[in-house]
């Protein structure tokens, strides 16, 4: 996963256009490729950090769902409805987190 900043995106597109024009003239400067690769490497590192953070959030949400299920099982009759609602909320949060992780992994 790549995570470009706006400045990196602008710089990368500018370098790409410049390299494209040079390739039409058949005299590509290798410094352009190096700059693009350097931008890609930093974006890939940032993307990996963001993906790791999403995985941590997903693991935390899974633990929250497990705790909520345990509370439903151990709740008294009066507190059962509140425990079920807390379980539904935790499951919805987990579903949102898993969608975000899946979307990030596809990119």
């Amino acid at each position: 996963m790549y995570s470009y900043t706006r400045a990196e995106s602008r710089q990368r597109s500018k370098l790409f256009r410049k390299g494209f024009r040079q390739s039409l003239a058949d005299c590509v400067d290798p410094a352009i490729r190096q700059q693009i690769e350097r931008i890609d490497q930093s974006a890939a590192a940032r993307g990996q950090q963001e993906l790791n953070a999403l995985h941590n959030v997903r693991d935390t949400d899974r633990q929250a769902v497990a705790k909520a299920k345990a509370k439903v099982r151990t709740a008294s009759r009066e507190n059962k409805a509140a425990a079920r609602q807390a379980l539904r909320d935790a499951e919805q949060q987990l579903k949102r987190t898993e969608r975000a992780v899946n979307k990030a992994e596809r990119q």
Side-chain angles (χ1 to χ4, degrees), residues 42-99:
S42 65
R46 190 177 310 106
Q48 188 61 42
Q49 288 177 343
E50 291 175 6
L51 189 59
N52 290 340
L54 281 172
H55 284 292
N56 291 338
V57 170
R58 182 184 61 188
D59 293 340
T60 304
D61 288 345
R62 284 181 178 169
Q63 288 294 323
V65 169
K67 288 179 183 178
K69 283 183 181 181
K71 285 188 179 185
V72 168
R73 290 183 186 124
T74 60
S76 64
R77 185 174 288 197
E78 297 84 25
N79 297 331
K80 203 98 155 153
R84 283 192 194 117
Q85 183 60 42
L87 175 61
R88 280 188 225 115
D89 293 342
E91 287 174 339
Q92 287 176 353
Q93 177 61 36
L94 176 62
K95 190 181 283 189
R96 284 191 297 268
T97 304
E98 286 180 340
R99 269 192 238 125

